[in-house]
C-alpha cells in the first residue's frame, strides 16, 4: 500500500526530506504523497521514514491502494532504475 497523509497534518515539514523517492510534497493545505512514487521505503529502509519522524502520527497506509511487498519492490526498481 502507498501511504497517505491525513488532515491531521500540521505542516511541520519533517516528512518531506525523509522520503527517498521524493513522493512527499506540499499540497494546498497539507503535505501530500504521490502514490505512484511511494514504496513505503521498501528497497531503501525497513520502515517508512516519514512515519518514523511524523510528530502527530498522521501517515497511515492508504486503504484505497493495496500493494504487496513484491509490488512495492517492483515499483522501487522502476523508480530507481535498479
Amino acid at each position: 500500500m502507498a501511504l497517505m497523509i491525513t488532515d491531521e497534518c500540521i505542516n511541520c515539514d519533517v516528512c518531506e526530506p525523509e522520503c527517498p523517492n521524493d513522493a512527499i510534497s506540499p499540497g494546498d493545505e497539507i503535505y501530500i504523497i504521490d502514490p505512484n512514487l511511494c514504496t513505503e521505503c521498501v528497497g531503501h529502509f525497513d520502515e517508512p521514514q516519514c512515519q518514523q519522524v511524523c510528530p502527530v502520527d498522521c501517515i497511515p497506509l492508504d486503504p484505497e491502494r493495496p500493494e504487496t511487498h513484491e509490488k512495492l519492490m517492483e515499483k522501487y526498481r522502476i523508480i530507481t532504475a535498479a
Side-chain angles (χ1 to χ4, degrees):
M1 296 183 149
L3 299 169
M4 61 183 278
I5 297 177
T6 68
D7 59 2
E8 295 167 342
C9 175
I10 58 172
N11 289 311
C12 66
D13 304 320
V14 298
C15 61
E16 183 181 18
E18 295 301 317
C19 182
N21 297 326
D22 296 324
I24 301 173
S25 61
D28 291 336
E29 295 183 27
I30 60 173
Y31 276 83
I32 57 172
I33 296 178
D34 181 341
N36 297 314
L37 295 176
C38 179
T39 62
E40 295 179 48
C41 289
V42 168
H44 295 283
F45 301 101
D46 291 335
E47 297 180 359
Q49 298 302 288
C50 59
Q51 286 181 331
Q52 299 300 307
V53 298
C54 181
V56 293
D57 196 28
C58 69
I59 308 176
L61 292 171
D62 185 346
E64 302 283 321
R65 302 185 182 279
E67 294 175 292
T68 64
H69 181 81
E70 291 76 22
K71 184 71 173 169
L72 292 170
M73 184 57 90
E74 179 182 326
K75 192 189 312 185
Y76 159 78
R77 288 186 184 111
I78 292 168
I79 292 169
T80 61

